[in-house]
Amino acid sequence: SQQGEEDPQALSIQEGENATMNCSYKTSINNLQWYRQNSGRGLVHLILIRSNEREKHSGRLRVTLDTSKKSSSLLITASRAADTASYFCATDLDYNQGGKLIFGQGTELSVKP
Amino acid sequence: DTAVSQTPKYLVTQMGNDKSIKCEQNLGHDTMYWYKQDSKKFLKIMFSYNNKELIINETVPNRFSPKSPDKAHLNLHINSLELGDSAVYFCASSSRVSPLHFGNGTRLTVT
C-alpha cells in the first residue's frame, strides 16, 4: 500500500516566490527524505530529516517534520526556473517494518520566469 | 563520471519478448535496488540486493528476475513481456551512510 501522499499534486508559481509542498504518511518512520526529479532523469536526494528532528535547512530548502500528525513539508524559498521538477517525499520505515524506502506520488512544481 | 549507470535508456519491444536492463554503480555502495515508475510517476520498489544477497522482493511477477553478479552490478531480466510492463525502470544504490543514488532510468515500451 502507498505510504506517502503529497499535496498539492501540481504547483505553478513565479520566479522569486516561495513553494511549499506537503507530505503525509501512515506508519512510524526512521526518517523522511525529499528527492527531486527533473524531466527524463533519475531522482536526486535533497535532504533527510530524522524522526527526532523537527526542522532542517539546506540552502534555500527548509523541511519540517511533525511525527504526531505524520506529516512533513518542504519549503523552497526564492524559487528559480531551474527548480522546475517533481518533488517526492520518501519514508524510511522502522526497522521492524523492513527498513525500506517508500515514495509518495510527488508534487510537480513549475516555476515561471 | 556517472555514479549509477543503466542501459539501455530506451527499450521498445513486442509483447512476449524477453529483455534485460543492466545497472552498474561506481560508488562503492553495498545495496542496490530496482524501482518501477508508472505513468502517474508513482515509484514502487521491486527488489533490493545487499552484497549480492536479495533482501527485498516485493510482489512482482515471477517474469521479473534480478541478478547481481557482484555488489557493483544489478541486472533485471524480464520474460514474456506484457503491455502492463511499460514503465520507467530505475536502478539505485545506497549504503548505510548514504541516501539513494538513482540512475537516469530505462523507459520500457511494450507494443
Side-chain angles (χ1 to χ4, degrees):
Chain A
S1 63
Q2 188 175 332
Q3 164 75 327
E5 293 185 10
E6 271 117 331
D7 164 53
Q9 288 192 336
L11 180 61
S12 182
I13 60 174
Q14 294 294 131
E15 232 177 3
E17 293 180 341
N18 295 342
T20 300
M21 290 159 269
N22 303 297
C23 169
S24 61
Y25 57 91
K26 298 176 183 173
T27 61
S28 56
I29 60 172
N30 274 330
N31 64 62
L32 186 143
Q33 304 176 34
W34 285 89
Y35 286 77
R36 184 187 76 229
Q37 183 180 29
N38 289 87
S39 181
R41 306 296 296 268
L43 282 74
V44 174
H45 181 259
L46 293 176
I47 195 166
L48 179 153
I49 186 165
R50 300 191 187 286
S51 59
N52 60 355
E53 297 176 311
R54 292 297 166 257
E55 188 170 313
K56 203 160 182 180
H57 296 254
S58 176
R60 294 184 295 112
L61 305 180
R62 172 177 166 253
V63 169
T64 61
L65 179 64
D66 187 335
T67 52
S68 66
K69 295 182 179 177
K70 291 186 169 59
S71 68
S72 173
S73 67
L74 170 67
L75 168 67
I76 305 174
T77 60
S79 63
R80 305 166 182 168
D83 294 329
T84 295
S86 293
Y87 291 82
F88 295 84
C89 69
T91 48
D92 193 355
L93 304 184
D94 272 353
Y95 175 79
N96 288 335
Q97 298 179 60
K100 62 187 179 185
L101 203 61
I102 297 182
F103 286 82
Q105 283 188 274
T107 292
E108 202 164 319
L109 174 65
S110 173
V111 181
K112 298 179 179 176
Chain B
D1 290 350
T2 306
V4 180
S5 60
Q6 52 181 110
T7 55
K9 186 171 175 63
Y10 299 97
L11 187 52
V12 181
T13 188
Q14 291 184 328
M15 283 175 57
N17 285 348
D18 303 339
K19 290 293 179 185
S20 292
I21 307 172
K22 295 186 176 181
C23 179
E24 175 181 5
Q25 55 98 2
N26 63 3
L27 297 166
H29 290 165
D30 51 13
T31 305
M32 295 186 72
Y33 311 79
W34 278 108
Y35 279 84
K36 178 181 179 180
Q37 187 173 46
D38 64 22
S39 58
K40 295 182 179 179
K41 292 199 171 181
F42 179 48
L43 199 66
K44 186 175 180 182
I45 189 167
M46 301 173 69
F47 302 102
S48 170
Y49 270 76
N50 181 272
N51 283 320
K52 302 197 299 177
E53 182 181 344
L54 181 65
I55 56 171
I56 293 176
N57 184 355
E58 289 296 287
T59 306
V60 175
N62 290 337
R63 300 180 295 102
F64 290 79
S65 54
K67 285 187 172 55
S68 183
D70 55 61
K71 73 174 193 176
H73 295 83
L74 180 62
N75 304 321
L76 183 65
H77 189 76
I78 315 170
N79 289 327
S80 302
L81 279 156
E82 300 177 356
L83 292 176
D85 297 333
S86 294
V88 182
Y89 292 84
F90 286 98
C91 176
S93 70
S94 71
S95 69
R96 288 181 61 86
V97 296
S98 169
L100 287 178
H101 284 71
F102 282 82
N104 282 326
T106 294
R107 182 174 292 277
L108 171 64
T109 303
V110 182
T111 61

mmCIF file of all heavy atoms in Angstrom, chain A residues 5-11 13 18-24 34-35 46 61-64 71-76 83 85-89 106-110:
data_model
loop_
_atom_site.group_PDB
_atom_site.id
_atom_site.type_symbol
_atom_site.label_atom_id
_atom_site.label_comp_id
_atom_site.label_asym_id
_atom_site.label_seq_id
_atom_site.Cartn_x
_atom_site.Cartn_y
_atom_site.Cartn_z
ATOM 1 N N GLU A 5 1.731 10.505 0.706
ATOM 2 C CA GLU A 5 0.900 11.224 -0.245
ATOM 3 C C GLU A 5 1.297 12.680 -0.226
ATOM 4 O O GLU A 5 1.397 13.294 0.843
ATOM 5 C CB GLU A 5 -0.579 11.082 0.127
ATOM 6 C CG GLU A 5 -1.095 9.669 -0.034
ATOM 7 C CD GLU A 5 -2.580 9.550 0.226
ATOM 8 O OE1 GLU A 5 -3.237 10.601 0.340
ATOM 9 O OE2 GLU A 5 -3.079 8.431 0.329
ATOM 10 N N GLU A 6 1.531 13.217 -1.415
ATOM 11 C CA GLU A 6 1.965 14.601 -1.491
ATOM 12 C C GLU A 6 0.822 15.517 -1.889
ATOM 13 O O GLU A 6 -0.102 15.128 -2.608
ATOM 14 C CB GLU A 6 3.110 14.755 -2.498
ATOM 15 C CG GLU A 6 4.467 14.561 -1.860
ATOM 16 C CD GLU A 6 5.190 13.381 -2.424
ATOM 17 O OE1 GLU A 6 4.535 12.431 -2.857
ATOM 18 O OE2 GLU A 6 6.424 13.417 -2.441
ATOM 19 N N ASP A 7 0.951 16.741 -1.446
ATOM 20 C CA ASP A 7 -0.081 17.738 -1.688
ATOM 21 C C ASP A 7 0.611 19.091 -1.843
ATOM 22 O O ASP A 7 1.456 19.440 -1.011
ATOM 23 C CB ASP A 7 -1.052 17.727 -0.494
ATOM 24 C CG ASP A 7 -1.912 18.961 -0.452
ATOM 25 O OD1 ASP A 7 -2.545 19.261 -1.484
ATOM 26 O OD2 ASP A 7 -1.949 19.621 0.597
ATOM 27 N N PRO A 8 0.345 19.880 -2.877
ATOM 28 C CA PRO A 8 -0.570 19.546 -3.973
ATOM 29 C C PRO A 8 0.085 18.602 -4.984
ATOM 30 O O PRO A 8 1.280 18.372 -4.916
ATOM 31 C CB PRO A 8 -0.831 20.915 -4.604
ATOM 32 C CG PRO A 8 0.459 21.652 -4.392
ATOM 33 C CD PRO A 8 0.971 21.195 -3.037
ATOM 34 N N GLN A 9 -0.678 18.104 -5.905
ATOM 35 C CA GLN A 9 -0.105 17.263 -6.962
ATOM 36 C C GLN A 9 0.655 18.113 -7.957
ATOM 37 O O GLN A 9 1.631 17.648 -8.554
ATOM 38 C CB GLN A 9 -1.215 16.485 -7.679
ATOM 39 C CG GLN A 9 -1.809 15.380 -6.832
ATOM 40 C CD GLN A 9 -2.683 14.437 -7.624
ATOM 41 O OE1 GLN A 9 -3.208 14.817 -8.674
ATOM 42 N NE2 GLN A 9 -2.850 13.230 -7.150
ATOM 43 N N ALA A 10 0.213 19.351 -8.142
ATOM 44 C CA ALA A 10 0.891 20.265 -9.068
ATOM 45 C C ALA A 10 0.857 21.667 -8.485
ATOM 46 O O ALA A 10 -0.112 22.058 -7.828
ATOM 47 C CB ALA A 10 0.241 20.232 -10.436
ATOM 48 N N LEU A 11 1.934 22.409 -8.727
ATOM 49 C CA LEU A 11 2.071 23.757 -8.182
ATOM 50 C C LEU A 11 2.775 24.623 -9.210
ATOM 51 O O LEU A 11 3.846 24.247 -9.701
ATOM 52 C CB LEU A 11 2.877 23.695 -6.883
ATOM 53 C CG LEU A 11 3.158 24.988 -6.136
ATOM 54 C CD1 LEU A 11 1.859 25.642 -5.713
ATOM 55 C CD2 LEU A 11 4.022 24.697 -4.918
ATOM 56 N N ILE A 13 4.183 28.548 -9.867
ATOM 57 C CA ILE A 13 4.486 29.826 -9.225
ATOM 58 C C ILE A 13 5.403 30.662 -10.114
ATOM 59 O O ILE A 13 5.945 30.157 -11.106
ATOM 60 C CB ILE A 13 5.159 29.619 -7.845
ATOM 61 C CG1 ILE A 13 6.472 28.832 -7.999
ATOM 62 C CG2 ILE A 13 4.228 28.918 -6.874
ATOM 63 C CD1 ILE A 13 7.264 28.705 -6.724
ATOM 64 N N ASN A 18 7.940 31.716 -3.012
ATOM 65 C CA ASN A 18 8.245 30.501 -2.252
ATOM 66 C C ASN A 18 7.300 29.383 -2.669
ATOM 67 O O ASN A 18 6.143 29.627 -3.026
ATOM 68 C CB ASN A 18 8.086 30.756 -0.748
ATOM 69 C CG ASN A 18 9.087 31.762 -0.228
ATOM 70 O OD1 ASN A 18 10.103 32.042 -0.862
ATOM 71 N ND2 ASN A 18 8.810 32.331 0.941
ATOM 72 N N ALA A 19 7.801 28.163 -2.602
ATOM 73 C CA ALA A 19 6.983 26.992 -2.929
ATOM 74 C C ALA A 19 6.928 26.078 -1.716
ATOM 75 O O ALA A 19 7.974 25.765 -1.135
ATOM 76 C CB ALA A 19 7.579 26.240 -4.111
ATOM 77 N N THR A 20 5.735 25.673 -1.341
ATOM 78 C CA THR A 20 5.568 24.760 -0.213
ATOM 79 C C THR A 20 4.859 23.498 -0.670
ATOM 80 O O THR A 20 3.803 23.560 -1.308
ATOM 81 C CB THR A 20 4.753 25.407 0.918
ATOM 82 O OG1 THR A 20 5.431 26.575 1.379
ATOM 83 C CG2 THR A 20 4.603 24.439 2.083
ATOM 84 N N MET A 21 5.474 22.367 -0.351
ATOM 85 C CA MET A 21 4.899 21.066 -0.680
ATOM 86 C C MET A 21 4.737 20.271 0.603
ATOM 87 O O MET A 21 5.599 20.345 1.480
ATOM 88 C CB MET A 21 5.812 20.324 -1.646
ATOM 89 C CG MET A 21 5.821 20.940 -3.028
ATOM 90 S SD MET A 21 7.275 20.497 -3.975
ATOM 91 C CE MET A 21 8.368 21.833 -3.557
ATOM 92 N N ASN A 22 3.669 19.517 0.694
ATOM 93 C CA ASN A 22 3.379 18.750 1.896
ATOM 94 C C ASN A 22 3.357 17.262 1.612
ATOM 95 O O ASN A 22 3.066 16.826 0.498
ATOM 96 C CB ASN A 22 2.017 19.168 2.456
ATOM 97 C CG ASN A 22 1.961 20.649 2.745
ATOM 98 O OD1 ASN A 22 2.702 21.155 3.581
ATOM 99 N ND2 ASN A 22 1.098 21.364 2.029
ATOM 100 N N CYS A 23 3.679 16.511 2.645
ATOM 101 C CA CYS A 23 3.717 15.054 2.528
ATOM 102 C C CYS A 23 3.090 14.462 3.779
ATOM 103 O O CYS A 23 3.434 14.867 4.896
ATOM 104 C CB CYS A 23 5.172 14.600 2.388
ATOM 105 S SG CYS A 23 5.446 12.831 2.551
ATOM 106 N N SER A 24 2.184 13.523 3.597
ATOM 107 C CA SER A 24 1.619 12.814 4.746
ATOM 108 C C SER A 24 1.935 11.335 4.604
ATOM 109 O O SER A 24 2.042 10.819 3.493
ATOM 110 C CB SER A 24 0.113 13.038 4.832
ATOM 111 O OG SER A 24 -0.523 12.551 3.669
ATOM 112 N N TRP A 34 13.508 13.888 1.104
ATOM 113 C CA TRP A 34 12.930 14.559 -0.063
ATOM 114 C C TRP A 34 13.887 14.401 -1.235
ATOM 115 O O TRP A 34 15.103 14.545 -1.090
ATOM 116 C CB TRP A 34 12.681 16.039 0.207
ATOM 117 C CG TRP A 34 11.482 16.283 1.084
ATOM 118 C CD1 TRP A 34 11.458 16.349 2.450
ATOM 119 C CD2 TRP A 34 10.138 16.499 0.644
ATOM 120 N NE1 TRP A 34 10.170 16.576 2.887
ATOM 121 C CE2 TRP A 34 9.337 16.684 1.808
ATOM 122 C CE3 TRP A 34 9.512 16.556 -0.599
ATOM 123 C CZ2 TRP A 34 7.962 16.919 1.743
ATOM 124 C CZ3 TRP A 34 8.152 16.793 -0.654
ATOM 125 C CH2 TRP A 34 7.399 16.968 0.505
ATOM 126 N N TYR A 35 13.285 14.120 -2.408
ATOM 127 C CA TYR A 35 14.045 13.942 -3.636
ATOM 128 C C TYR A 35 13.454 14.833 -4.718
ATOM 129 O O TYR A 35 12.257 15.154 -4.703
ATOM 130 C CB TYR A 35 13.985 12.482 -4.111
ATOM 131 C CG TYR A 35 14.812 11.516 -3.301
ATOM 132 C CD1 TYR A 35 14.380 11.064 -2.054
ATOM 133 C CD2 TYR A 35 16.043 11.049 -3.788
ATOM 134 C CE1 TYR A 35 15.147 10.174 -1.312
ATOM 135 C CE2 TYR A 35 16.802 10.146 -3.049
ATOM 136 C CZ TYR A 35 16.343 9.727 -1.825
ATOM 137 O OH TYR A 35 17.111 8.837 -1.092
ATOM 138 N N LEU A 46 17.692 15.378 -1.845
ATOM 139 C CA LEU A 46 17.803 16.772 -1.427
ATOM 140 C C LEU A 46 18.157 16.887 0.051
ATOM 141 O O LEU A 46 19.097 17.594 0.427
ATOM 142 C CB LEU A 46 16.484 17.500 -1.672
ATOM 143 C CG LEU A 46 16.053 17.689 -3.136
ATOM 144 C CD1 LEU A 46 14.684 18.332 -3.194
ATOM 145 C CD2 LEU A 46 17.086 18.500 -3.899
ATOM 146 N N LEU A 61 16.335 25.385 0.979
ATOM 147 C CA LEU A 61 15.360 24.371 1.373
ATOM 148 C C LEU A 61 15.154 24.373 2.877
ATOM 149 O O LEU A 61 16.112 24.478 3.639
ATOM 150 C CB LEU A 61 15.825 22.977 0.944
ATOM 151 C CG LEU A 61 16.169 22.763 -0.525
ATOM 152 C CD1 LEU A 61 16.605 21.312 -0.734
ATOM 153 C CD2 LEU A 61 14.995 23.098 -1.422
ATOM 154 N N ARG A 62 13.868 24.259 3.257
ATOM 155 C CA ARG A 62 13.554 24.103 4.676
ATOM 156 C C ARG A 62 12.539 22.967 4.788
ATOM 157 O O ARG A 62 11.501 22.983 4.132
ATOM 158 C CB ARG A 62 12.967 25.394 5.245
ATOM 159 C CG ARG A 62 12.439 25.263 6.672
ATOM 160 C CD ARG A 62 11.950 26.607 7.199
ATOM 161 N NE ARG A 62 11.154 26.423 8.405
ATOM 162 C CZ ARG A 62 9.828 26.556 8.455
ATOM 163 N NH1 ARG A 62 9.139 26.868 7.380
ATOM 164 N NH2 ARG A 62 9.177 26.374 9.607
ATOM 165 N N VAL A 63 12.871 21.986 5.602
ATOM 166 C CA VAL A 63 11.991 20.840 5.798
ATOM 167 C C VAL A 63 11.531 20.800 7.243
ATOM 168 O O VAL A 63 12.324 21.029 8.160
ATOM 169 C CB VAL A 63 12.721 19.524 5.443
ATOM 170 C CG1 VAL A 63 11.915 18.324 5.893
ATOM 171 C CG2 VAL A 63 12.974 19.445 3.950
ATOM 172 N N THR A 64 10.252 20.532 7.434
ATOM 173 C CA THR A 64 9.724 20.337 8.780
ATOM 174 C C THR A 64 9.122 18.941 8.871
ATOM 175 O O THR A 64 8.717 18.351 7.860
ATOM 176 C CB THR A 64 8.643 21.377 9.130
ATOM 177 O OG1 THR A 64 7.557 21.230 8.213
ATOM 178 C CG2 THR A 64 9.199 22.792 9.049
ATOM 179 N N SER A 71 3.289 14.086 9.176
ATOM 180 C CA SER A 71 3.365 14.944 8.000
ATOM 181 C C SER A 71 4.683 15.699 7.961
ATOM 182 O O SER A 71 5.340 15.894 8.987
ATOM 183 C CB SER A 71 2.197 15.945 7.994
ATOM 184 O OG SER A 71 2.340 16.863 9.050
ATOM 185 N N SER A 72 5.052 16.096 6.759
ATOM 186 C CA SER A 72 6.270 16.865 6.538
ATOM 187 C C SER A 72 5.985 17.914 5.470
ATOM 188 O O SER A 72 5.074 17.746 4.650
ATOM 189 C CB SER A 72 7.396 15.939 6.070
ATOM 190 O OG SER A 72 8.544 16.675 5.693
ATOM 191 N N SER A 73 6.762 18.976 5.494
ATOM 192 C CA SER A 73 6.633 19.961 4.427
ATOM 193 C C SER A 73 8.013 20.352 3.926
ATOM 194 O O SER A 73 8.993 20.328 4.673
ATOM 195 C CB SER A 73 5.894 21.209 4.913
ATOM 196 O OG SER A 73 6.677 21.893 5.872
ATOM 197 N N LEU A 74 8.065 20.665 2.651
ATOM 198 C CA LEU A 74 9.290 21.152 2.010
ATOM 199 C C LEU A 74 9.009 22.555 1.501
ATOM 200 O O LEU A 74 8.074 22.761 0.732
ATOM 201 C CB LEU A 74 9.686 20.241 0.845
ATOM 202 C CG LEU A 74 10.818 20.754 -0.060
ATOM 203 C CD1 LEU A 74 12.147 20.791 0.700
ATOM 204 C CD2 LEU A 74 10.956 19.877 -1.313
ATOM 205 N N LEU A 75 9.820 23.485 1.953
ATOM 206 C CA LEU A 75 9.695 24.873 1.508
ATOM 207 C C LEU A 75 10.921 25.227 0.679
ATOM 208 O O LEU A 75 12.047 25.028 1.127
ATOM 209 C CB LEU A 75 9.591 25.813 2.710
ATOM 210 C CG LEU A 75 9.740 27.315 2.430
ATOM 211 C CD1 LEU A 75 8.562 27.824 1.603
ATOM 212 C CD2 LEU A 75 9.851 28.099 3.739
ATOM 213 N N ILE A 76 10.689 25.708 -0.524
ATOM 214 C CA ILE A 76 11.767 26.229 -1.356
ATOM 215 C C ILE A 76 11.601 27.737 -1.405
ATOM 216 O O ILE A 76 10.573 28.245 -1.885
ATOM 217 C CB ILE A 76 11.732 25.650 -2.784
ATOM 218 C CG1 ILE A 76 11.757 24.127 -2.750
ATOM 219 C CG2 ILE A 76 12.895 26.194 -3.615
ATOM 220 C CD1 ILE A 76 11.585 23.482 -4.119
ATOM 221 N N ASP A 83 14.326 25.319 -10.578
ATOM 222 C CA ASP A 83 13.702 24.468 -9.551
ATOM 223 C C ASP A 83 12.539 23.668 -10.131
ATOM 224 O O ASP A 83 11.981 22.799 -9.443
ATOM 225 C CB ASP A 83 13.192 25.321 -8.381
ATOM 226 C CG ASP A 83 14.307 25.997 -7.612
ATOM 227 O OD1 ASP A 83 15.414 25.421 -7.535
ATOM 228 O OD2 ASP A 83 14.082 27.110 -7.083
ATOM 229 N N ALA A 85 10.583 20.919 -11.449
ATOM 230 C CA ALA A 85 10.855 19.489 -11.332
ATOM 231 C C ALA A 85 9.702 18.852 -10.551
ATOM 232 O O ALA A 85 8.806 19.540 -10.087
ATOM 233 C CB ALA A 85 12.177 19.245 -10.603
ATOM 234 N N SER A 86 9.775 17.544 -10.407
ATOM 235 C CA SER A 86 8.859 16.850 -9.496
ATOM 236 C C SER A 86 9.589 16.592 -8.198
ATOM 237 O O SER A 86 10.780 16.253 -8.201
ATOM 238 C CB SER A 86 8.403 15.529 -10.113
ATOM 239 O OG SER A 86 7.605 15.757 -11.254
ATOM 240 N N TYR A 87 8.876 16.756 -7.093
ATOM 241 C CA TYR A 87 9.475 16.580 -5.771
ATOM 242 C C TYR A 87 8.748 15.450 -5.047
ATOM 243 O O TYR A 87 7.510 15.434 -4.988
ATOM 244 C CB TYR A 87 9.390 17.884 -4.978
ATOM 245 C CG TYR A 87 10.294 18.955 -5.553
ATOM 246 C CD1 TYR A 87 9.875 19.712 -6.648
ATOM 247 C CD2 TYR A 87 11.560 19.173 -5.036
ATOM 248 C CE1 TYR A 87 10.711 20.673 -7.201
ATOM 249 C CE2 TYR A 87 12.401 20.128 -5.586
ATOM 250 C CZ TYR A 87 11.968 20.869 -6.679
ATOM 251 O OH TYR A 87 12.807 21.808 -7.236
ATOM 252 N N PHE A 88 9.530 14.540 -4.506
ATOM 253 C CA PHE A 88 8.983 13.358 -3.851
ATOM 254 C C PHE A 88 9.449 13.295 -2.406
ATOM 255 O O PHE A 88 10.626 13.543 -2.117
ATOM 256 C CB PHE A 88 9.464 12.082 -4.552
ATOM 257 C CG PHE A 88 8.978 11.917 -5.957
ATOM 258 C CD1 PHE A 88 9.642 12.524 -7.009
ATOM 259 C CD2 PHE A 88 7.858 11.151 -6.225
ATOM 260 C CE1 PHE A 88 9.204 12.368 -8.315
ATOM 261 C CE2 PHE A 88 7.408 10.984 -7.529
ATOM 262 C CZ PHE A 88 8.073 11.594 -8.573
ATOM 263 N N CYS A 89 8.527 12.909 -1.531
ATOM 264 C CA CYS A 89 8.949 12.554 -0.193
ATOM 265 C C CYS A 89 9.086 11.027 -0.141
ATOM 266 O O CYS A 89 8.420 10.313 -0.896
ATOM 267 C CB CYS A 89 7.974 13.048 0.874
ATOM 268 S SG CYS A 89 6.368 12.219 0.900
ATOM 269 N N GLY A 106 4.498 12.422 -5.480
ATOM 270 C CA GLY A 106 5.202 13.589 -5.984
ATOM 271 C C GLY A 106 4.341 14.820 -6.186
ATOM 272 O O GLY A 106 3.127 14.745 -6.369
ATOM 273 N N THR A 107 4.992 15.961 -6.129
ATOM 274 C CA THR A 107 4.401 17.252 -6.471
ATOM 275 C C THR A 107 5.161 17.793 -7.667
ATOM 276 O O THR A 107 6.389 17.888 -7.636
ATOM 277 C CB THR A 107 4.509 18.256 -5.307
ATOM 278 O OG1 THR A 107 3.684 17.836 -4.235
ATOM 279 C CG2 THR A 107 4.077 19.651 -5.754
ATOM 280 N N GLU A 108 4.413 18.139 -8.704
ATOM 281 C CA GLU A 108 5.048 18.690 -9.904
ATOM 282 C C GLU A 108 5.096 20.211 -9.774
ATOM 283 O O GLU A 108 4.069 20.878 -9.774
ATOM 284 C CB GLU A 108 4.253 18.279 -11.132
ATOM 285 C CG GLU A 108 5.043 18.323 -12.419
ATOM 286 C CD GLU A 108 4.369 17.552 -13.534
ATOM 287 O OE1 GLU A 108 3.840 16.456 -13.262
ATOM 288 O OE2 GLU A 108 4.357 18.057 -14.645
ATOM 289 N N LEU A 109 6.303 20.740 -9.641
ATOM 290 C CA LEU A 109 6.491 22.184 -9.459
ATOM 291 C C LEU A 109 6.913 22.831 -10.767
ATOM 292 O O LEU A 109 7.861 22.377 -11.416
ATOM 293 C CB LEU A 109 7.548 22.454 -8.386
ATOM 294 C CG LEU A 109 7.958 23.919 -8.191
ATOM 295 C CD1 LEU A 109 6.779 24.731 -7.662
ATOM 296 C CD2 LEU A 109 9.147 24.026 -7.245
ATOM 297 N N SER A 110 6.218 23.888 -11.124
ATOM 298 C CA SER A 110 6.585 24.662 -12.310
ATOM 299 C C SER A 110 6.872 26.089 -11.862
ATOM 300 O O SER A 110 6.010 26.753 -11.277
ATOM 301 C CB SER A 110 5.443 24.641 -13.323
ATOM 302 O OG SER A 110 5.727 25.508 -14.405
#
